[in-house]
Amino acid sequence: MITIYGPDGLVSGVAPSTCEGCWIELIEPAPADISMASALSGVDEQLIHEALDLHERPRIEQDDSTTLLVIRAPHMEDGAGQDRYSTVPLGILLARTNIVTVCKLQDDSLAKLLLNSRTRAEGFRSERCICNISRNVAILFLHYLKDISTKIREVENELAQSLSNDDLKVLLNLQKSVTYFHAALKTNDLILDRINRKGLSIGSQTKLAFTEDEEDIIDGALTDTRQGIYMSKIFTEVLNSISNVYSSIISNSVNQIMKLLTSFTVILMIPTLITSMYGMNIPLPMQGHGNAFAVVGTFSALLAAGAILFMKFRKML
């Protein structure tokens, strides 16, 4: 889908003949949308296709008249019965007279992020757009990381009461989400640090002029991104420790069950051995006695009880 916002920030109902000062937004674009965006903005279609690659890493690429800036943004996936967190590349193409943003997937949080980034009544400045998008992406990462922190505590409480497969699956999804977030935040940090230190230009010549306020926004985005890196690293360690602890608990539970079954087998083997001896066709003590069954049964029970007391004394049962 293609949406064209005029310099006043309002959606253009029809495709304008010229798109000077416009913001072109591509979300899950069709081939016709890509061709239209390229024709209106003068951006090479190849750059748009590169930004649509779901495995694209954050980077900056420049040609003569356009700059492609790719950062990764958090994304909520619809899993089987539960939501999963992932990341998706968000492409920002800076042309001399307009801006094109590209995202492969439709996501309500990302749509709101872009909306908040372009609410500028005086028109779109490339510098301000980059600052707003970077800051809002970092804030969205922190918001999702706080949600993950809450879910980690919930999983801990549930696993403390019962070890169900569903809880372990949630734990696995949280580990994957934090891993994706950590990798995305690390690469985003490199891009933002480069912009903060060296600046950015449109194409090969037009250098962007960031105001002091915009530089403060970039600094804030860097701070939030590094906070996200720190949080994701801590969460990774916490999740790994939880997984190790509950793996040990499960292993210990299996060992306890096997120990109990082995003890029962040994205890039951004593009366089985005695009664099997009295099943032989040979002369045996008390063979002709009237109370032989009761005596043999009582003797077997006493030996089994002695074995139980011995195992309890040695903490084997």
Side-chain angles (χ1 to χ4, degrees), residues 7-24:
D8 54 0
L10 301 178
V11 179
S12 298
V14 295
S17 56
T18 82
C19 204
E20 185 172 348
C22 294
W23 180 317
I24 302 174

Side-chain angles (χ1 to χ4, degrees), residues 147-179:
D147 288 345
I148 290 174
S149 177
T150 302
K151 290 185 178 182
I152 290 174
R153 288 195 294 271
E154 292 175 355
V155 170
E156 281 185 292
N157 294 332
E158 292 174 359
L159 287 175
Q161 299 174 4
S162 65
L163 297 174
S164 67
N165 290 335
D166 291 338
D167 292 333
L168 295 176
K169 289 177 182 177
V170 172
L171 191 64
L172 175 61
N173 284 332
L174 290 176
Q175 283 182 308
K176 290 169 61 178
S177 300
V178 172
T179 300

Side-chain angles (χ1 to χ4, degrees), residues 233-245:
K233 183 178 180 181
I234 294 297
F235 291 165
T236 299
E237 295 175 358
V238 169
L239 289 168
N240 287 336
S241 65
I242 292 174
S243 298
N244 292 335
V245 166

Side-chain angles (χ1 to χ4, degrees), residues 73-106:
H75 165 61
M76 181 79 78
E77 294 181 348
D78 294 328
Q82 58 183 341
D83 294 329
R84 294 180 295 183
Y85 300 98
S86 184
T87 61
V88 63
L90 178 62
I92 308 168
L93 293 119
L94 305 174
R96 297 189 187 281
T97 59
N98 47 56
I99 302 167
V100 181
T101 51
V102 183
C103 188
K104 176 70 172 178
L105 303 176
Q106 174 67 44

Side-chain angles (χ1 to χ4, degrees), residues 9-277:
L10 301 178
V11 179
S12 298
V14 295
S17 56
T18 82
C19 204
E20 185 172 348
C22 294
W23 180 317
I24 302 174
E25 183 179 275
L26 293 171
I27 304 291
E28 283 187 315
D33 297 332
I34 296 173
S35 299
M36 179 185 294
S38 177
L40 291 173
S41 63
V43 171
D44 188 356
E45 283 191 35
Q46 180 61 32
L47 291 177
I48 298 178
H49 284 291
E50 290 178 5
L52 289 172
D53 183 2
L54 286 177
H55 302 287
E56 188 67 49
R57 60 181 178 82
R59 62 189 179 89
I60 297 173
E61 181 178 339
Q62 296 173 328
D63 62 15
D64 293 337
S65 60
T66 308
T67 294
L68 168 63
L69 171 63
V70 179
I71 58 175
R72 294 198 73 88
H75 165 61
M76 181 79 78
E77 294 181 348
D78 294 328
Q82 58 183 341
D83 294 329
R84 294 180 295 183
Y85 300 98
S86 184
T87 61
V88 63
L90 178 62
I92 308 168
L93 293 119
L94 305 174
R96 297 189 187 281
T97 59
N98 47 56
I99 302 167
V100 181
T101 51
V102 183
C103 188
K104 176 70 172 178
L105 303 176
Q106 174 67 44
D107 186 281
D108 292 338
S109 296
L110 291 180
K112 184 177 180 181
L113 181 152
L114 292 173
L115 174 63
N116 293 335
S117 300
R118 62 173 169 264
T119 51
R120 298 286 297 173
E122 67 272 19
F124 305 123
R125 292 184 70 249
S126 298
E127 297 88 346
R128 175 66 68 166
C129 294
I130 292 172
C131 295
N132 288 343
I133 291 175
S134 301
R135 183 67 185 275
N136 289 333
V137 165
I139 291 173
L140 188 58
F141 267 118
L142 292 179
H143 173 72
Y144 281 156
L145 283 169
K146 290 176 183 177
D147 288 345
I148 290 174
S149 177
T150 302
K151 290 185 178 182
I152 290 174
R153 288 195 294 271
E154 292 175 355
V155 170
E156 281 185 292
N157 294 332
E158 292 174 359
L159 287 175
Q161 299 174 4
S162 65
L163 297 174
S164 67
N165 290 335
D166 291 338
D167 292 333
L168 295 176
K169 289 177 182 177
V170 172
L171 191 64
L172 175 61
N173 284 332
L174 290 176
Q175 283 182 308
K176 290 169 61 178
S177 300
V178 172
T179 300
Y180 292 147
F181 278 16
H182 184 74
L185 286 165
K186 288 282 286 184
T187 49
N188 284 357
D189 178 66
L190 295 175
I191 295 299
L192 292 176
D193 185 60
R194 175 181 169 183
I195 295 174
N196 193 41
R197 289 186 295 105
K198 299 182 179 180
L200 190 66
S201 61
I202 298 177
S204 57
Q205 295 180 351
T206 307
K207 190 171 182 63
L208 297 179
F210 291 93
T211 65
E212 184 176 348
D213 183 38
E214 290 163 351
E215 290 178 353
D216 290 340
I217 296 176
I218 287 289
D219 286 336
L222 265 173
T223 300
D224 290 340
T225 299
R226 288 169 182 171
Q227 180 184 345
I229 293 171
Y230 175 76
M231 291 174 64
S232 61
K233 183 178 180 181
I234 294 297
F235 291 165
T236 299
E237 295 175 358
V238 169
L239 289 168
N240 287 336
S241 65
I242 292 174
S243 298
N244 292 335
V245 166
Y246 284 103
S247 295
S248 300
I249 290 175
I250 292 171
S251 178
N252 186 58
S253 299
V254 172
N255 290 339
Q256 291 294 330
I257 293 172
M258 294 303 298
K259 177 182 174 181
L260 187 64
L261 292 175
T262 302
S263 300
F264 284 159
T265 302
V266 172
I267 292 168
L268 292 174
M269 187 178 66
I270 296 173
T272 301
L273 176 63
I274 295 173
T275 53
S276 63
M277 290 175 61

